Structure formats: C-alpha cells, structure tokens
Amino acid sequence: MSFLSVSNVHHTYFSKEAATEALQDINLTIDKGEFVSFIGPSGCGKTTLLSIIAGLFEPTSGSVHIENQEVYGNKDLSIGYMLQQDYLFPWKTIEENITLGLKLLKQEKKSFTNVASSLLSDVGLPPVEKKYPRELSGGMRQRVALARTLAVDPKILLLDEPFSALDYQSKLKLEDLVSNKLKEYGKTAVLVTHDIGEAIAMSDRIFLFSARPGKLHQTFLVPEELRTLTPFEARAHSSYSSLFQTIWKELESLE
Ligand SMILES: Nc1ncnc2c1ncn2[C@@H]1O[C@H](COP(=O)(O)OP(=O)(O)OP(=O)(O)O)[C@@H](O)[C@H]1O
Ligand SMILES: [Mg+2]
C-alpha cells in the first residue's frame, strides 16, 4: 500500500460567471520517504492539487489518502505546507513564529525555547529567536519557515515554489538544506516548481502536468546516480543535462 494516493481526482472551480475545470482524472501514488515534484505550464492545476493533498478543500470528485486515511476533513494528519511567501507573522518574534504550530497542538510551553533554538541551528541560522521577521533577509525567513514547518513533525511536506522569490545563490543553498533535512528526518515531500533543474536536482520522481484541463501527462524517474547526490552536485552531473533536455522538450510541446 502506498503512503499517499491520489485517486480519480477531478476538480472544477465554480463562480457566478464560469466553471473552470482545473484537474481531470488525476491518479498517482507516492511512497514513504519519497521526494516528488510537480511541474507543468502555468494554470495546469499544480497548486490546486497540492491544496487538495493538504486537505484544504474537497475535490469535486475523487479522493486523497495518506496511510489509508482520507485527508479531507481529517484533523489527525499533520501536513506541513511551505509557500513562496514565508507567511511569518510580522508582529511575532522568530521563536513565536517557529513554535506557533506547537502551541496550536497544545504542547508543553517550557520546551518551546529549546525547540526553537535547536531548529534554528538545524536550518543553519544563528540565534535569532528574539528578532522579528523584518530584521531577517528573504533567505533567512525561508529558513525560519522551514523550521516552523518541521517543528510540528508533519507526516508530509508540501512545498509550493518555496525558493522562487529568492536570489539564485540563496535558492541553491536552500535546495541543499531542504533536501538534506528531509532525508535526515525521513520525510515524504511534494515540491511544486517552474524550475526543471530544481525538480531534477531535488526529486526521486517528477510528474509533468498538461493544462486546460490539468492532466497528468508524463512521469519521469530521476536516475539513481543523481538521487544520491546533493541538489548542487546533481546539477553538475552528466545525466542531469540529458534529463533536462528531455523534460524541456516535453514541456515545450505542451505550451
Ligand atoms: N480559487 C479559484 N477560483 C477559480 N478558478 C481558480 C481558482 N484557483 C485556481 N483557479 C483556476 O484553476 C486553474 C489551475 O490553477 P492553479 O493555481 O492550480 O494552477 P498552477 O499550475 O498552480 O499555476 P501556476 O504555475 O501559475 O502557479 C487555472 O485555470 C486557474 O485560473
Ligand atoms: Mg501555482
């Protein structure tokens, strides 16, 4: 039995003026500890599918299960969500932001400071727990967002273009950090990205979607020799560029 399964998912958005068919007949499974990416043209339904996997809303039809439990309406499943913007609360300190999820889970208060400081060092940040988000750079804020996501020990991490607002150097560093941490913590993850290179460098498998309506077009298995490298090293490997070319051509044929 797969860790996560998306079964016959269709989704249509209805407004007064129009019905937009965002996803059509999506079926896929993800194994425990696997890192997969969703890529595809703008508007092909990547964010919609990620939100459905997160249980944020119910698909028009079909279902998503994690360890045999349906995600929609399930309060016991902890799912981590990391977005392009970090959504840190500006009026809260870094420590309060990191431990927010723990407070919601009503965990014991006295350990919060320790949790925050150990997670900060884990994501490569100096002790900034008493600072406010405005005092940190974009890359540092995304590290805090990662620490906050890991704090609640989620079953799965859903990452919707978390690096796309960063400068190139910060992005490469964060890719390595996220990949490393998720391996260390043995987490399953789904990354949405527009960057084919990032998908190849970080993933075990890549799902390519086509648009209008969003359908699963093709699945690519990242070769073993790339999967054992860090994202930064993978980008320099000879297998990387041939897979890049293949996916690039396929994506072009869809646009
Ligand atoms: N809340 C909404 N109401 C109506 N239509 C929506 C809504 N959200 C998304 N859509 C439509 O559903 C389709 C899929 O959108 P979605 O945001 O999932 O695509 P995406 O692949 O994430 O795009 P991008 O790469 O630009 O982020 C698009 O046609 C979009 O206009
Ligand atoms: Mg999107």
Side-chain angles (χ1 to χ4, degrees):
M1 193 61 209
S2 320
F3 176 73
L4 181 147
S5 63
V6 175
S7 314
N8 307 316
V9 164
H10 290 251
H11 193 72
T12 304
Y13 289 104
F14 293 101
S15 67
K16 272 189 190 138
E17 301 77 33
T20 309
E21 193 176 13
L23 294 170
Q24 197 177 72
D25 199 27
I26 309 294
N27 286 284
L28 56 89
T29 60
I30 301 171
D31 292 330
K32 194 171 173 64
E34 201 178 14
F35 193 116
V36 305
S37 290
F38 292 169
I39 61 172
S42 189
C44 71
K46 303 178 293 296
T47 296
T48 302
L49 184 55
L50 210 65
S51 308
I52 290 171
I53 293 175
L56 295 179
F57 54 80
E58 194 175 19
T60 310
S61 67
S63 60
V64 177
H65 287 80
I66 292 181
E67 291 182 326
N68 288 329
Q69 301 184 63
E70 181 150 10
V71 295
Y72 182 70
N74 191 328
K75 294 203 168 57
D76 299 332
L77 282 171
S78 87
I79 293 174
Y81 213 165
M82 200 173 149
L83 304 166
Q84 188 172 358
Q85 273 120 28
D86 53 59
Y87 291 105
L88 298 177
F89 293 111
W91 62 89
K92 288 188 183 290
T93 64
I94 298 304
E95 179 181 313
E96 287 165 341
N97 268 289
I98 290 179
T99 55
L100 193 75
L102 296 177
K103 280 179 197 150
L104 294 175
L105 292 174
K106 300 202 171 27
Q107 294 201 353
E108 258 193 80
K109 199 171 179 181
K110 63 179 191 303
S111 59
F112 285 177
T113 306
N114 295 339
V115 170
S117 65
S118 94
L119 277 166
L120 280 176
S121 83
D122 220 21
V123 297
L125 283 175
V128 290
E129 47 272 60
K130 300 296 172 214
K131 290 193 186 292
Y132 286 87
R134 64 171 178 275
E135 300 174 77
L136 306 187
S137 71
M140 290 168 90
R141 283 203 301 268
Q142 274 306 49
R143 284 171 195 256
V144 173
L146 174 64
R148 180 181 58 183
T149 309
L150 290 172
V152 294
D153 194 22
K155 276 202 180 295
I156 184 166
L157 272 93
L158 306 175
L159 313 162
D160 198 350
E161 304 192 46
F163 314 120
S164 61
L166 301 175
D167 63 89
Y168 196 62
Q169 201 188 4
S170 304
K171 170 188 160 88
L172 293 186
K173 282 190 179 157
L174 258 285
E175 282 177 13
D176 271 13
L177 174 77
V178 168
S179 169
N180 187 332
K181 287 296 140 202
L182 298 194
K183 281 205 178 108
E184 188 183 315
Y185 287 70
K187 295 286 178 207
T188 311
V190 183
L191 170 72
V192 168
T193 179
H194 277 108
D195 180 341
I196 300 172
E198 180 171 285
I200 298 172
M202 297 197 70
S203 317
D204 301 309
R205 271 189 306 153
I206 298 168
F207 296 101
L208 172 63
F209 293 86
S210 55
R212 282 173 296 277
K215 281 189 190 167
L216 180 54
H217 178 73
Q218 200 173 334
T219 306
F220 299 90
L221 187 64
V222 176
E224 180 68 32
E225 66 266 25
L226 293 182
R227 281 187 265 152
T228 51
L229 299 175
T230 66
F232 189 81
E233 291 164 345
R235 286 176 186 269
H237 194 283
S238 57
S239 307
Y240 169 91
S241 38
S242 60
L243 184 55
F244 189 100
Q245 293 298 328
T246 309
I247 298 178
W248 174 268
K249 284 196 190 112
E250 207 54 54
L251 187 56
E252 263 202 324
S253 77
L254 297 176
E255 280 171 344

